Amino acid sequence: MISVNGLIRTYGDFTAIDNVSFDIGQGEIVGLLGHNGAGKTTIMKMITGFLEPTGGSITVDGLDINRDREAIQRKIGYLPENCPVYPEMTVIDYLDYAATLHGVPETERPARVREAVAKTELTEKATQLINTLSRGYRQRVGVAQSLLHRPDILILDEPTNGLDPSQVQHMRDLIREAAQHATVIISTHILQEVQAVCDRVIIIRAGEKVLDARMDELRSAHRLLVTVDAEPARVDTALKQITAIRKVEQLSIDGHQRRYALEFQEQTEAQQCAPGIASALLEAGCSLYAMQPEQRTLESVFLEAAAHH
Ligand code: ATP
């Protein structure tokens, strides 16, 4: 649905986005995760056609951003980082105006505005001036604005930034709701945000993509942690016939107990191999104290990805 290939953006001598590629399929909820200044906003502005790439290509449903910018923009609802909601307008007037900008026909506008107001739970505030709203409500107006033309794709730049915990909760519910009908990309510098709403994460660091993975893949362990009373050479010999093991690494020594991490060729093999590994160790005369799949958190993956680049 969205295909980004070799994307580059420079500002003078500075390369803000450096050869980033990814494909996003219909219905995915993808989190662009990175520290401030990593390049998330720059990528989003290029996908939404508000900033020209210096190099590379972006296509949406086969349309090219350079040639078919307006057609692509009609498919996308965009919440920019600092959504320009007009403070002196009422919520409803602003949304009516935004619907015009989105090209919603006049006869359909009242219904579309009502629909967006209902989805974002803004009914109570509909006739209030935007400058009298809290940040959380103003953010909802920004999201309401992005939904008016019923886009197939939602691109939300830091949608929970500056919100209090209950507003964050509401915004997450809103994103999940919206994701039932649309492909969603959100940007955030908060790991928990991605864990809460996304089914895939793309980590951006200093303009480069350093990780692109499904959340369920990240959660699934690809290492088995084993505690035995044997030194490395004995463990290696005992496990030699289990070819699925790619690497044995000693992690720690505690008295006569040694903890090892067993790494596998395929992520799924860790669990399957566990009984065979237990038997092999016992047959070799080792005492087995503990065995468990390694629990990876997004935090550890994020740190790993950062460390390798
Ligand atoms: P944040 O969460 O702080 O918005 P971000 O990941 O969205 O961060 P970007 O706003 O995309 O990051 O910025 C990426 C890099 O490009 C930063 O180093 C930023 O300073 C730089 N940058 C962005 N816009 C410009 C510009 N107009 N001129 C020069 N440098 C820019």
Side-chain angles (χ1 to χ4, degrees):
M1 179 167 224
I2 300 171
S3 190
V4 169
N5 253 302
L7 194 63
I8 294 172
R9 173 69 205 197
T10 56
Y11 294 107
D13 291 343
F14 177 69
T15 304
I17 299 299
D18 192 1
N19 195 18
V20 167
S21 303
F22 53 80
D23 287 306
I24 294 178
Q26 191 166 0
E28 282 195 277
I29 315 182
V30 178
L32 275 189
L33 177 67
H35 294 306
N36 291 337
K40 308 176 296 288
T41 298
T42 305
I43 291 174
M44 288 184 150
K45 280 187 185 162
M46 289 193 278
I47 297 177
T48 50
F50 290 100
L51 184 70
E52 251 182 70
T54 311
S57 69
I58 298 173
T59 59
V60 176
D61 281 345
L63 300 169
D64 184 300
I65 197 74
N66 292 319
R67 285 197 309 270
D68 316 298
R69 185 165 58 91
E70 284 180 17
I72 289 179
Q73 285 177 334
R74 279 197 291 276
K75 293 173 182 285
I76 296 179
Y78 178 37
L79 173 73
E81 194 170 25
N82 297 304
C83 186
V85 286
Y86 296 91
E88 72 287 357
M89 288 179 108
T90 64
V91 170
I92 212 134
D93 286 345
Y94 165 71
L95 291 176
D96 187 65
Y97 170 64
T100 318
L101 296 183
H102 281 306
V104 176
E106 196 175 346
T107 49
E108 284 182 38
R109 257 184 257 150
R112 294 291 184 89
V113 170
R114 267 200 305 278
E115 182 182 291
V117 163
K119 275 195 177 147
T120 50
E121 292 181 25
L122 277 167
T123 312
E124 270 175 38
K125 311 280 178 185
T127 55
Q128 227 167 291
L129 289 178
I130 289 171
N131 64 9
T132 65
L133 299 179
S134 68
R135 187 179 163 84
Y137 275 105
R138 244 177 288 157
Q139 197 80 328
R140 285 192 211 181
V141 176
V143 175
Q145 162 280 129
S146 74
L147 299 172
L148 287 164
H149 54 305
R150 294 184 184 151
D152 295 337
I153 300 165
L154 270 180
I155 297 189
L156 310 175
D157 199 349
E158 304 256 6
T160 60
N161 203 10
L163 304 189
D164 71 32
S166 73
Q167 291 170 337
V168 166
Q169 200 49 51
H170 180 267
M171 184 61 72
R172 286 178 182 170
D173 291 342
L174 192 58
I175 293 168
R176 284 192 205 100
E177 215 296 299
Q180 293 180 1
H181 320 281
T183 302
V184 180
I185 308 177
I186 66 164
S187 77
T188 179
H189 56 276
I190 306 162
L191 293 164
Q192 289 79 3
E193 194 69 28
V194 176
Q195 269 163 330
V197 291
C198 298
D199 39 40
R200 176 173 158 201
V201 62
I202 294 176
I203 299 181
I204 304 291
R205 187 169 172 272
E208 289 180 44
K209 184 178 89 170
V210 292
L211 187 106
D212 181 349
R214 292 188 51 79
M215 299 305 289
D216 50 8
E217 275 170 28
L218 291 181
R219 285 188 203 106
S220 77
H222 71 305
R223 298 209 306 179
L224 202 61
L225 304 179
V226 172
T227 307
V228 287
D229 63 348
E231 68 280 5
R234 236 176 104 208
V235 172
D236 279 343
T237 311
L239 299 179
K240 212 168 50 209
Q241 79 269 29
I242 302 177
T243 51
I245 297 175
R246 194 171 58 184
K247 195 172 144 202
V248 177
E249 185 188 350
Q250 180 171 281
L251 300 177
S252 60
I253 305 176
D254 181 10
H256 63 286
Q257 295 187 16
R258 293 168 187 254
R259 196 151 175 258
Y260 295 90
L262 312 183
E263 217 173 291
F264 294 86
Q265 313 287 0
E266 296 290 331
Q267 297 196 353
T268 47
E269 287 185 28
Q271 292 278 59
Q272 293 161 12
C273 295
I277 288 167
S279 317
L281 288 167
L282 296 176
E283 272 164 30
C286 307
S287 297
L288 178 60
Y289 290 92
M291 183 187 298
Q292 87 226 56
E294 184 177 40
Q295 291 300 317
R296 292 169 94 202
T297 60
L298 190 54
E299 274 91 341
S300 63
V301 173
F302 188 53
L303 291 173
E304 250 176 60
H308 289 142
H309 286 265

